[in-house]
Amino acid sequence: MPYDPSAFPPFAVTVDLVVLTVRRHALCALAVRRGESPFQGRWALPGGFVRADEDLSQAAARELAEETGLRAHDPDAPAQEGGAHLEQLATYGDPKRDPRMRVVSVAHLALAPDLPAPRAGGDASNARWAPVGELLAQGGYGRDGEPVAPLAFDHAQILSDGVERARSKIEYSSLATAFCPPEFTVGELRRVYEAVWGVALDPRNFHRKVTGTPGFLVPTGGTTTRQGGRPAQLFRAGGATLLNPPMLRPEV
Amino acid sequence: MPYDPSAFPPFAVTVDLVVLTVRRHALCALAVRRGESPFQGRWALPGGFVRADEDLSQAAARELAEETGLRAHDPDAPAQEGGAHLEQLATYGDPKRDPRMRVVSVAHLALAPDLPAPRAGGDASNARWAPVGELLAQGGYGRDGEPVAPLAFDHAQILSDGVERARSKIEYSSLATAFCPPEFTVGELRRVYEAVWGVALDPRNFHRKVTGTPGFLVPTGGTTTRQGGRPAQLFRAGGATLLNPPMLRPEV
DNA sequence: ATCATAGTCGTCTGCCTGACGATAAACACT
DNA sequence: AGTGTTTATCGTCAGGCAGACGACTATGAT
């Protein structure tokens, strides 16, 4: 068929972000309150339109910086200090997902260390870190007992897919270090796994596994007692991005 | 920000397909010859525009049916007879990936049993199954010695991502059965793994692994000698879609 | 001093994998 | 009929890794 501009319908293309972090032993996602219709006043994932001259990953990195101030890393690079892991998640294009027009959203997944309070256009009340269980509890009640409305659009599905991606990916990669500060202890890394998977892991077996995998953790020489108890060695993420054999997620 | 149609640029959205199959002990992908500019005469992945009222997966299933006659399965369902596995792969949106205009392509991955000759608008010379190594050999030479031009657009990257997805996914899922006919032998399934991974596997250990995993294979009671040698039991894919512990891919 | 907390090193047992021997059942020759 | 070839299937054995858990260490809190 010849090139004919009228042969295809125009779409709007957006990026939506699933930004995950671990706070107070819980897996949390960044949510912003919608200020406009549709779904006005409801919580949603941060996101926005892709600009005319922008690549998808550029648009995602820009949105991430606008919402959190974080700089994004290359997805293939190991976790480094002061930035977030960012990767494409999936694309959502149901014709009815946005009642205004035909919008295709390329969702991205970002993993960040614990951050100070989020900002959304400088207005803190319009952005928050919320435990993913709370955001996904359809028609349930939040931590403080207030009723929680479901996320706007198909964002519950997107968030759910993002959480599942994170849960499975830390099994066989060093991605869990993206939730940690530049230097961290084995115990802090273990608590990341426990929060993301929602299980308890044996500290001794976990210690053996992560320290026994060559290239996964590099000791920095320092120690810390910020968790209480005996001082723990500090590590940074090593060059190994793949964990083989993988960390086994306990049965449900 | 208020709703303003001028606030976002229009995009064209397409689906491109990485259709993989195993033929003659080699992993092959479906390629179609472009009849128009740009990249006229070059090989490309099949694909087309998403229609105005179509979901992305619908568009991918439609394109798959148009190019191969295959019906697509639900990605979450186990492999069934007479259809192909179809799942979303990734989305490619570099501003310069199509010189004509801004096109975002949502690539999908399809896995199919060995098929009769492909058809592309009824013209067999414009569609073929080609070994993926041949399609990805940049500036190399094909099986018959003719020079091979790289795939059009960024399709080499898309194909490469699709092959990598297939290679990793058969490790921990029953997806390899999607390459097999409805009833198959353990040996045929092993040859799928060998073709996709490009390695040789021990027949005895492979047999122990797949028959020892509950719910993975269900014997049908029949036997066949279509591979020569001693008759082999016939199986169909069981309900288990996840392989735990995974099939280990030998070191490179 | 004693306790609570967290980190780190070992041990043991069972399961799974890789390597590989042995047998079985078909077909193709001679 | 016998012999070789091919493929399927069952068994055995050693090594590695994970789960369960004991023991000890080094901090801060009471």
Side-chain angles (χ1 to χ4, degrees):
Chain A
M1 49 188 132
Y3 169 50
D4 173 10
S6 69
F8 58 89
F11 289 72
V13 176
T14 63
V15 289
D16 285 325
L17 295 180
V18 176
V19 190
L20 299 180
T21 194
V22 174
R23 315 191 88 197
R24 286 186 258 104
H25 293 201
L27 182 63
C28 295
L30 183 61
V32 298
R33 196 191 293 273
R34 284 187 60 80
E36 70 209 77
S37 183
F39 299 101
Q40 185 167 15
R42 294 265 285 279
W43 293 100
L45 299 177
F49 290 109
V50 177
R51 296 180 181 164
D53 56 350
E54 219 178 21
D55 194 4
L56 300 174
S57 57
Q58 284 172 23
R62 173 178 55 76
E63 291 287 341
L64 180 65
E66 288 177 4
E67 302 285 348
T68 67
L70 285 167
R71 275 218 314 268
H73 285 149
D74 190 297
D76 301 320
Q80 294 156 20
E81 61 278 359
H85 170 89
L86 183 61
E87 68 178 46
Q88 195 187 109
L89 176 59
T91 299
Y92 300 81
D94 188 293
K96 297 193 176 65
R97 65 180 295 278
D98 189 319
R100 295 167 296 181
M101 55 185 166
R102 188 70 200 264
V103 178
V104 164
S105 176
V106 184
H108 285 69
L109 174 66
L111 308 184
D114 197 357
L115 296 170
R119 60 177 208 213
D123 184 353
S125 74
N126 286 335
R128 64 165 182 153
W129 293 106
V132 296
E134 199 169 307
L135 290 173
L136 291 175
Q138 294 273 345
Y141 294 85
R143 178 170 29 88
D144 46 3
E146 63 174 332
V148 182
L151 288 173
F153 303 109
D154 51 0
H155 287 187
Q157 180 66 49
I158 298 175
L159 174 59
S160 171
D161 291 348
V163 169
E164 183 47 41
R165 168 82 65 94
R167 283 188 174 143
S168 68
K169 209 156 178 183
I170 64 173
E171 283 188 58
Y172 56 89
S173 78
S174 63
L175 211 53
T177 59
F179 286 115
C180 293
E183 296 197 350
F184 54 89
T185 70
V186 173
E188 290 166 347
L189 183 63
R190 175 170 49 82
R191 280 180 279 275
V192 165
Y193 276 90
E194 292 178 333
V196 175
W197 284 346
V199 298
L201 299 174
D202 186 291
R204 296 156 291 190
N205 292 337
F206 183 87
H207 188 277
R208 178 182 60 190
K209 173 72 177 173
V210 296
T211 58
T213 301
F216 186 28
L217 295 183
V218 180
T220 66
T223 61
T224 183
T225 67
R226 63 179 168 228
Q227 297 294 332
R230 169 175 165 180
Q233 260 189 292
L234 283 170
F235 296 86
R236 76 177 72 244
T241 62
L242 251 46
L243 210 46
N244 202 338
M247 179 94 54
L248 296 181
R249 174 162 27 166
E251 299 298 317
V252 186
Chain B
M1 49 189 130
Y3 168 48
D4 173 11
S6 69
F8 59 89
F11 288 72
V13 176
T14 63
V15 290
D16 285 325
L17 294 181
V18 177
V19 190
L20 300 180
T21 194
V22 173
R23 317 190 86 196
R24 284 184 260 104
H25 292 202
L27 183 63
C28 295
L30 183 60
V32 298
R33 197 190 294 274
R34 286 186 59 79
E36 69 210 80
S37 183
F39 300 101
Q40 185 167 16
R42 294 264 286 278
W43 293 100
L45 299 178
F49 290 109
V50 178
R51 296 180 181 165
D53 56 351
E54 221 178 19
D55 194 5
L56 301 174
S57 57
Q58 283 172 23
R62 173 177 54 77
E63 291 287 342
L64 179 65
E66 288 175 5
E67 301 285 347
T68 67
L70 284 168
R71 275 219 314 270
H73 285 150
D74 190 296
D76 301 320
Q80 295 155 20
E81 60 280 1
H85 170 89
L86 182 62
E87 68 178 45
Q88 195 186 107
L89 176 60
T91 300
Y92 300 81
D94 187 294
K96 296 194 176 64
R97 67 181 293 279
D98 188 319
R100 295 167 297 180
M101 56 184 165
R102 187 69 199 266
V103 178
V104 165
S105 175
V106 183
H108 285 69
L109 175 66
L111 308 184
D114 197 356
L115 297 171
R119 60 176 209 215
D123 185 354
S125 75
N126 285 333
R128 64 163 182 155
W129 293 106
V132 296
E134 197 171 307
L135 290 174
L136 292 175
Q138 294 272 345
Y141 294 86
R143 177 169 32 87
D144 47 3
E146 64 174 333
V148 182
L151 287 173
F153 303 109
D154 51 1
H155 288 187
Q157 179 66 49
I158 297 176
L159 175 59
S160 172
D161 291 349
V163 169
E164 183 48 39
R165 167 82 64 94
R167 284 185 173 146
S168 68
K169 210 158 178 181
I170 63 173
E171 284 188 57
Y172 57 89
S173 78
S174 63
L175 211 53
T177 59
F179 287 115
C180 293
E183 297 198 352
F184 53 89
T185 70
V186 173
E188 290 166 347
L189 184 62
R190 174 169 50 81
R191 281 180 277 275
V192 165
Y193 276 91
E194 292 179 333
V196 175
W197 285 345
V199 298
L201 299 175
D202 186 291
R204 297 156 292 190
N205 293 336
F206 183 87
H207 189 277
R208 178 182 58 190
K209 173 74 178 171
V210 296
T211 57
T213 300
F216 186 29
L217 295 184
V218 179
T220 67
T223 61
T224 184
T225 65
R226 62 179 169 231
Q227 297 294 331
R230 169 176 164 180
Q233 260 189 290
L234 283 170
F235 295 87
R236 76 176 71 245
T241 60
L242 250 48
L243 211 47
N244 201 340
M247 180 94 55
L248 296 181
R249 177 163 24 167
E251 298 297 318
V252 186

